[in-house]
Amino acid sequence: MTACAPECTGGMHGGKMGRGGPGRFGGPRGGMMMEKQADANNDGAVTQAEFIAAALKRFDAQDTNHDGKVTKEERAAARKAHMDERKARWETKKADKKAAN
């Protein structure tokens, strides 16, 4: 029998969708996005090598001092940067939509 991580069973919240629907706090969208990003040759499948390469890329991006560890502070900074990027894209999209009307 193979053990399954929380991601396999719907996330860390008992298999329920996270607050705000799919893609938040363990919903299914996050896994699909990871799969799309990891599929380096766009063949619709993620090999072990592609999966590991994507995971290492994410780790290296968060390990800002390159000491081989991701601290709570580095993780928090990476999350904030990601959220800031998402907010900027959303604001740009909102402004473009307003300008088009």
Side-chain angles (χ1 to χ4, degrees):
M1 182 171 187
T2 303
C4 188
E7 298 85 351
C8 300
T9 58
M12 303 293 284
H13 300 281
K16 299 176 185 171
M17 290 292 175
R19 189 174 61 199
R24 302 246 353 231
F25 305 106
R29 184 184 294 161
M32 288 185 274
M33 292 301 292
M34 174 64 177
E35 186 173 318
K36 279 185 174 183
Q37 292 170 349
D39 185 11
N41 62 0
N42 297 314
D43 68 351
V46 177
T47 65
Q48 183 180 32
E50 288 172 323
F51 185 89
I52 291 169
L56 289 172
K57 183 178 176 182
R58 288 186 66 183
F59 182 90
D60 289 343
Q62 291 181 17
D63 182 18
T64 55
N65 65 359
H66 309 290
D67 67 350
K69 302 174 195 170
V70 176
T71 64
K72 289 188 285 186
E73 294 81 11
E74 287 172 319
R75 177 70 184 118
R79 177 149 178 82
K80 182 181 181 323
H82 175 73
M83 296 306 288
D84 290 347
E85 289 171 18
R86 288 186 62 185
K87 183 177 179 182
R89 283 194 309 265
W90 179 81
E91 288 174 351
T92 299
K93 188 175 179 178
K94 185 177 172 182
D96 290 348
K97 187 175 180 180
K98 185 176 181 180
N101 289 329

